[in-house]
Amino acid sequence: MKNWLVFLFLFSPFLSWGQELEEFGKPLSEISMRDLDLVSLDTKDQIFISNSRGDIFQYNAKGERLNLFSPTRQGRLHQLEAAWTVNIFSFSADLQAYRILDRFLNLLSEKGFFQTEVQLAKAATLGNNNIIWVWDESDLNLKILDYRRNLITQSQPLNLILNLENLNVVEIREFKNRLFMNVKNEGVFLFDNQGNFLKKINLKTDQRLSFYKEHLFWLEEGKIKAISLLNQEVREMAKSPNSRGLQIQMGQEIITLISKDKITVYPFPEKIKNLN
């Protein structure tokens, strides 16, 4: 009997820690889609999804389809962003072009990079003050494009700044006036709003960047993890309720778990909702 008491005393913290990860409730909805590719959520927790042809679908958290944008020039998207207050941004490296749409998926602007100083755009993201950040693989420069004037206003040679032999950029995203660059096998590099390097975040992942409050989220070994952007503390937030999940995207009050052909929508667990 004493041995059992000793066992419970020693291992009860680990048992309670494991129980803390069981925090997901029932899913709000499931969205099935063939050739599912990118997922992004807006500030009203509407879900935007692209397929491998570059079509963009809009759903609400209940799984009801609201709108569809099917472009005349089709090509896989390499960036889809709905987190901006007004516009939806998409970028295709195959087409060397970007599009800006309104909240109802009406096309506002579509432009290519061939009339600018960008020779080979491999990653692009929308920024504040009418700019687009562009990673130009032809000269390994991070560039700022004023898309209203179609003019490159700034260029940073990152191979010299970061001192890396191989710059395989997976994705770039602006979040709270800072630029995040995910470099394969290296980590996530953080820049200010002028493109000046600030620091490296020690997270190596090939998943799409997903932010909530001052944290970056990802899936690892069936668990949802978060790293603080302030002190780089890593926390296990919840156990993934979907063992086939490949990616996650965070909204304001919902989280989407993305598998090969399905998106499952859940309300935030309390631990994530109360994250400081």
Side-chain angles (χ1 to χ4, degrees):
M1 184 66 178
K2 289 182 178 179
N3 291 337
W4 276 105
L5 291 174
V6 170
F7 175 84
L8 289 174
F9 174 77
L10 291 174
F11 289 92
S12 58
F14 296 93
L15 294 173
S16 62
W17 172 78
Q19 290 169 358
E20 286 179 1
L21 295 181
E22 301 288 345
E23 298 175 357
F24 271 87
K26 294 182 178 179
L28 299 174
S29 62
E30 290 185 348
I31 302 169
S32 297
M33 182 175 297
R34 293 181 59 187
D35 301 322
L36 189 156
D37 197 6
L38 302 181
V39 178
S40 183
L41 280 69
D42 71 4
T43 55
K44 296 182 179 179
D45 281 342
Q46 297 183 103
I47 304 163
F48 295 80
I49 309 165
S50 70
N51 60 20
S52 59
R53 297 179 300 279
D55 299 322
I56 302 176
F57 302 81
Q58 180 184 17
Y59 286 81
N60 61 24
K62 297 178 181 178
E64 300 167 335
R65 198 174 96 175
L66 305 177
N67 291 299
L68 165 65
F69 171 74
S70 186
T72 53
R73 293 181 63 219
Q74 292 197 323
R76 179 177 179 263
L77 300 183
H78 295 80
Q79 192 75 358
L80 176 64
E81 296 178 21
W84 294 92
T85 306
V86 178
N87 297 322
I88 311 297
F89 175 83
S90 72
F91 159 72
S92 171
D94 296 339
L95 300 176
Q96 286 293 292
Y98 64 89
R99 298 185 180 102
I100 299 175
L101 303 95
D102 67 15
R103 311 307 297 178
F104 305 101
L105 294 184
N106 298 307
L107 182 62
L108 300 177
S109 178
E110 178 177 5
K111 291 183 180 179
F113 291 109
F114 58 89
Q115 292 181 334
T116 70
E117 298 171 30
V118 176
Q119 302 300 316
L120 184 59
K122 296 295 292 212
T125 187
L126 191 62
N128 277 312
N129 300 320
N130 305 317
I131 71 163
I132 294 174
W133 296 93
V134 185
W135 167 244
D136 189 344
E137 199 172 74
S138 69
D139 56 10
L140 304 181
N141 272 236
L142 175 65
K143 299 178 178 179
I144 297 178
L145 170 68
D146 182 333
Y147 65 83
R148 290 192 173 180
R149 295 186 293 161
N150 211 32
L151 179 68
I152 297 294
T153 59
Q154 194 164 317
S155 186
Q156 297 272 33
L158 292 194
N159 59 323
L160 301 178
I161 296 171
L162 301 181
N163 194 27
L164 295 175
E165 292 183 3
N166 185 20
L167 268 172
N168 188 348
V169 176
V170 178
E171 182 186 9
I172 56 176
R173 279 277 306 276
E174 184 173 307
F175 177 69
K176 293 187 177 180
N177 217 29
R178 296 160 295 179
L179 183 74
F180 294 78
M181 172 179 282
N182 187 10
V183 180
K184 187 174 182 179
N185 299 324
E186 294 291 343
V188 179
F189 295 86
L190 178 60
F191 303 83
D192 67 14
N193 60 358
Q194 297 298 314
N196 299 306
F197 174 64
L198 297 176
K199 66 179 180 180
K200 176 183 175 182
I201 299 172
N202 296 316
L203 171 62
K204 296 179 183 180
T205 178
D206 59 358
Q207 298 175 35
R208 308 296 295 184
L209 299 176
S210 180
F211 302 96
Y212 178 65
K213 294 185 176 178
E214 282 294 320
H215 290 78
L216 182 58
F217 282 74
W218 76 100
L219 278 176
E220 184 179 320
E221 297 179 347
K223 298 181 180 68
I224 295 173
K225 293 189 175 184
I227 185 169
S228 169
L229 303 179
L230 302 176
N231 58 24
Q232 302 209 39
E233 177 189 3
V234 176
R235 301 169 64 180
E236 292 185 347
M237 302 305 302
K239 182 179 179 180
S240 173
N242 182 356
S243 60
R244 295 185 301 168
L246 303 174
Q247 308 247 1
I248 62 172
Q249 283 295 314
M250 312 294 293
Q252 303 302 306
E253 296 182 352
I254 63 171
I255 182 171
T256 57
L257 295 180
I258 306 157
S259 55
K260 183 179 179 181
D261 54 4
K262 185 172 66 174
I263 299 167
T264 310
V265 184
Y266 292 90
F268 273 173
E270 287 298 318
K271 191 172 182 180
I272 293 178
K273 187 185 298 183
N274 299 325
L275 183 64
N276 294 320

